[in-house]
Amino acid sequence: FLSPSYFGYRNNGDGTATITSYNGYVTGNQHAIIPPKINGLKVTAINPNVFASTNLRSVVLPEGLETIGFRAFQYNQLTEVSIPKSVKEIGLLAFGDNSLSDIYVYSKNVTYGNDVFANNGQVNLFGYRGTSSQLYSNLHYYLQFRALD
C-alpha cells in the first residue's frame, strides 16, 4: 500500500473515510494501491476528480470501497481495472479517457453513471450474467461483455 500520507481524507464520523485528495503523482508514482484503511478508518468512498490527470498506469481498489466519484480516474493511462464486490456506485466518466482494455467488475449490483468507461476504445467488461454490468455493457457499443460465471 502507499503511505497514508499520499492521501487526503475526510473522517465520515462512522468509522469510515472518504479519500478527498491524492499527491502521489508529485513523486512520479504511476501505480496507486489504495489502502483499505487510513488511520484506522475504513475507506468507503473516493471523491470526484481525486485521481484525475495524475498519470496513473495502474490502480488497486480495496475491498470495502462502495463509491467511486465522477471523473475519479479520468485522463490517466490505466489499462486494466478491477472493481471490488463491495462497490455500489460508479460516477460519470469515472474511468473515462484512459487506455483500458479489460475491466473486471466483481460487484453484482452496481449503479453506473453515464459514460463511466468512455473514450477508451473497445473494452472487455468482465462481470456476472444478469447483473447491472451486463445491462450497462449492452447499452454501450464500445463495451464487450464477458461472463465471469
Side-chain angles (χ1 to χ4, degrees), residues 3 23 25 43 80 88 92 105 108:
S3 165
N23 66 8
Y25 65 93
V43 174
E80 182 180 299
K88 298 175 183 173
L92 165 88
V105 181
K108 292 185 178 181

mmCIF file with all atom_site columns, all heavy atoms in Angstrom, residues 3 23 25 43 80 88 92 105 108:
data_model
loop_
_atom_site.group_PDB
_atom_site.id
_atom_site.type_symbol
_atom_site.label_atom_id
_atom_site.label_alt_id
_atom_site.label_comp_id
_atom_site.label_asym_id
_atom_site.label_entity_id
_atom_site.label_seq_id
_atom_site.pdbx_PDB_ins_code
_atom_site.Cartn_x
_atom_site.Cartn_y
_atom_site.Cartn_z
_atom_site.occupancy
_atom_site.B_iso_or_equiv
_atom_site.pdbx_formal_charge
_atom_site.auth_seq_id
_atom_site.auth_comp_id
_atom_site.auth_asym_id
_atom_site.auth_atom_id
_atom_site.pdbx_PDB_model_num
ATOM 1  N N   . SER A 1 3   ? 1.778   4.927   1.347   1.00 0.00 ? 3   SER A N   1
ATOM 2  C CA  . SER A 1 3   ? 1.700   5.566   2.650   1.00 0.00 ? 3   SER A CA  1
ATOM 3  C C   . SER A 1 3   ? 0.422   6.397   2.737   1.00 0.00 ? 3   SER A C   1
ATOM 4  O O   . SER A 1 3   ? 0.053   7.075   1.775   1.00 0.00 ? 3   SER A O   1
ATOM 5  C CB  . SER A 1 3   ? 2.918   6.471   2.841   1.00 0.00 ? 3   SER A CB  1
ATOM 6  O OG  . SER A 1 3   ? 2.718   7.339   3.917   1.00 0.00 ? 3   SER A OG  1
ATOM 7  N N   . ASN A 1 23  ? -1.678  12.937  -3.604  1.00 0.00 ? 23  ASN A N   1
ATOM 8  C CA  . ASN A 1 23  ? -0.488  13.675  -4.024  1.00 0.00 ? 23  ASN A CA  1
ATOM 9  C C   . ASN A 1 23  ? 0.667   12.766  -4.417  1.00 0.00 ? 23  ASN A C   1
ATOM 10 O O   . ASN A 1 23  ? 1.797   13.224  -4.537  1.00 0.00 ? 23  ASN A O   1
ATOM 11 C CB  . ASN A 1 23  ? -0.056  14.674  -2.948  1.00 0.00 ? 23  ASN A CB  1
ATOM 12 C CG  . ASN A 1 23  ? 0.412   14.000  -1.677  1.00 0.00 ? 23  ASN A CG  1
ATOM 13 O OD1 . ASN A 1 23  ? 0.564   12.784  -1.619  1.00 0.00 ? 23  ASN A OD1 1
ATOM 14 N ND2 . ASN A 1 23  ? 0.639   14.783  -0.638  1.00 0.00 ? 23  ASN A ND2 1
ATOM 15 N N   . TYR A 1 25  ? 1.273   11.567  -7.270  1.00 0.00 ? 25  TYR A N   1
ATOM 16 C CA  . TYR A 1 25  ? 1.786   11.920  -8.589  1.00 0.00 ? 25  TYR A CA  1
ATOM 17 C C   . TYR A 1 25  ? 2.958   12.887  -8.507  1.00 0.00 ? 25  TYR A C   1
ATOM 18 O O   . TYR A 1 25  ? 3.802   12.947  -9.396  1.00 0.00 ? 25  TYR A O   1
ATOM 19 C CB  . TYR A 1 25  ? 0.673   12.513  -9.463  1.00 0.00 ? 25  TYR A CB  1
ATOM 20 C CG  . TYR A 1 25  ? 0.136   13.815  -8.952  1.00 0.00 ? 25  TYR A CG  1
ATOM 21 C CD1 . TYR A 1 25  ? 0.661   15.015  -9.399  1.00 0.00 ? 25  TYR A CD1 1
ATOM 22 C CD2 . TYR A 1 25  ? -0.892  13.852  -8.023  1.00 0.00 ? 25  TYR A CD2 1
ATOM 23 C CE1 . TYR A 1 25  ? 0.184   16.226  -8.922  1.00 0.00 ? 25  TYR A CE1 1
ATOM 24 C CE2 . TYR A 1 25  ? -1.384  15.046  -7.547  1.00 0.00 ? 25  TYR A CE2 1
ATOM 25 C CZ  . TYR A 1 25  ? -0.841  16.237  -7.992  1.00 0.00 ? 25  TYR A CZ  1
ATOM 26 O OH  . TYR A 1 25  ? -1.319  17.423  -7.515  1.00 0.00 ? 25  TYR A OH  1
ATOM 27 N N   . VAL A 1 43  ? -11.840 2.809   4.277   1.00 0.00 ? 43  VAL A N   1
ATOM 28 C CA  . VAL A 1 43  ? -12.039 3.627   3.081   1.00 0.00 ? 43  VAL A CA  1
ATOM 29 C C   . VAL A 1 43  ? -13.261 3.107   2.322   1.00 0.00 ? 43  VAL A C   1
ATOM 30 O O   . VAL A 1 43  ? -13.254 1.979   1.837   1.00 0.00 ? 43  VAL A O   1
ATOM 31 C CB  . VAL A 1 43  ? -10.791 3.613   2.177   1.00 0.00 ? 43  VAL A CB  1
ATOM 32 C CG1 . VAL A 1 43  ? -11.071 4.344   0.867   1.00 0.00 ? 43  VAL A CG1 1
ATOM 33 C CG2 . VAL A 1 43  ? -9.602  4.231   2.895   1.00 0.00 ? 43  VAL A CG2 1
ATOM 34 N N   . GLU A 1 80  ? -6.078  -1.635  -17.199 1.00 0.00 ? 80  GLU A N   1
ATOM 35 C CA  . GLU A 1 80  ? -6.945  -2.654  -16.605 1.00 0.00 ? 80  GLU A CA  1
ATOM 36 C C   . GLU A 1 80  ? -7.383  -2.159  -15.236 1.00 0.00 ? 80  GLU A C   1
ATOM 37 O O   . GLU A 1 80  ? -6.616  -1.503  -14.543 1.00 0.00 ? 80  GLU A O   1
ATOM 38 C CB  . GLU A 1 80  ? -6.174  -3.962  -16.459 1.00 0.00 ? 80  GLU A CB  1
ATOM 39 C CG  . GLU A 1 80  ? -6.969  -5.104  -15.890 1.00 0.00 ? 80  GLU A CG  1
ATOM 40 C CD  . GLU A 1 80  ? -6.139  -6.375  -15.777 1.00 0.00 ? 80  GLU A CD  1
ATOM 41 O OE1 . GLU A 1 80  ? -5.658  -6.858  -16.823 1.00 0.00 ? 80  GLU A OE1 1
ATOM 42 O OE2 . GLU A 1 80  ? -5.972  -6.855  -14.658 1.00 0.00 ? 80  GLU A OE2 1
ATOM 43 N N   . LYS A 1 88  ? -20.826 -0.120  -4.929  1.00 0.00 ? 88  LYS A N   1
ATOM 44 C CA  . LYS A 1 88  ? -22.254 0.031   -5.212  1.00 0.00 ? 88  LYS A CA  1
ATOM 45 C C   . LYS A 1 88  ? -22.536 1.096   -6.264  1.00 0.00 ? 88  LYS A C   1
ATOM 46 O O   . LYS A 1 88  ? -23.580 1.087   -6.898  1.00 0.00 ? 88  LYS A O   1
ATOM 47 C CB  . LYS A 1 88  ? -22.999 0.409   -3.925  1.00 0.00 ? 88  LYS A CB  1
ATOM 48 C CG  . LYS A 1 88  ? -22.913 -0.640  -2.843  1.00 0.00 ? 88  LYS A CG  1
ATOM 49 C CD  . LYS A 1 88  ? -23.574 -0.155  -1.569  1.00 0.00 ? 88  LYS A CD  1
ATOM 50 C CE  . LYS A 1 88  ? -23.408 -1.186  -0.467  1.00 0.00 ? 88  LYS A CE  1
ATOM 51 N NZ  . LYS A 1 88  ? -23.878 -0.693  0.824   1.00 0.00 ? 88  LYS A NZ  1
ATOM 52 N N   . LEU A 1 92  ? -20.153 9.257   -13.157 1.00 0.00 ? 92  LEU A N   1
ATOM 53 C CA  . LEU A 1 92  ? -19.966 9.724   -14.517 1.00 0.00 ? 92  LEU A CA  1
ATOM 54 C C   . LEU A 1 92  ? -18.489 9.809   -14.881 1.00 0.00 ? 92  LEU A C   1
ATOM 55 O O   . LEU A 1 92  ? -17.694 10.379  -14.130 1.00 0.00 ? 92  LEU A O   1
ATOM 56 C CB  . LEU A 1 92  ? -20.603 11.117  -14.641 1.00 0.00 ? 92  LEU A CB  1
ATOM 57 C CG  . LEU A 1 92  ? -20.247 11.972  -15.843 1.00 0.00 ? 92  LEU A CG  1
ATOM 58 C CD1 . LEU A 1 92  ? -21.196 11.640  -16.984 1.00 0.00 ? 92  LEU A CD1 1
ATOM 59 C CD2 . LEU A 1 92  ? -20.356 13.431  -15.493 1.00 0.00 ? 92  LEU A CD2 1
ATOM 60 N N   . VAL A 1 105 ? -15.520 -6.496  -13.050 1.00 0.00 ? 105 VAL A N   1
ATOM 61 C CA  . VAL A 1 105 ? -16.482 -5.989  -12.072 1.00 0.00 ? 105 VAL A CA  1
ATOM 62 C C   . VAL A 1 105 ? -16.978 -7.170  -11.247 1.00 0.00 ? 105 VAL A C   1
ATOM 63 O O   . VAL A 1 105 ? -17.729 -8.010  -11.746 1.00 0.00 ? 105 VAL A O   1
ATOM 64 C CB  . VAL A 1 105 ? -17.653 -5.254  -12.756 1.00 0.00 ? 105 VAL A CB  1
ATOM 65 C CG1 . VAL A 1 105 ? -18.621 -4.717  -11.706 1.00 0.00 ? 105 VAL A CG1 1
ATOM 66 C CG2 . VAL A 1 105 ? -17.132 -4.122  -13.634 1.00 0.00 ? 105 VAL A CG2 1
ATOM 67 N N   . LYS A 1 108 ? -22.076 -7.404  -7.935  1.00 0.00 ? 108 LYS A N   1
ATOM 68 C CA  . LYS A 1 108 ? -23.235 -7.856  -8.701  1.00 0.00 ? 108 LYS A CA  1
ATOM 69 C C   . LYS A 1 108 ? -24.337 -6.803  -8.771  1.00 0.00 ? 108 LYS A C   1
ATOM 70 O O   . LYS A 1 108 ? -25.326 -6.991  -9.472  1.00 0.00 ? 108 LYS A O   1
ATOM 71 C CB  . LYS A 1 108 ? -23.779 -9.158  -8.114  1.00 0.00 ? 108 LYS A CB  1
ATOM 72 C CG  . LYS A 1 108 ? -22.813 -10.317 -8.305  1.00 0.00 ? 108 LYS A CG  1
ATOM 73 C CD  . LYS A 1 108 ? -23.398 -11.624 -7.845  1.00 0.00 ? 108 LYS A CD  1
ATOM 74 C CE  . LYS A 1 108 ? -22.415 -12.760 -8.104  1.00 0.00 ? 108 LYS A CE  1
ATOM 75 N NZ  . LYS A 1 108 ? -22.948 -14.049 -7.689  1.00 0.00 ? 108 LYS A NZ  1
#
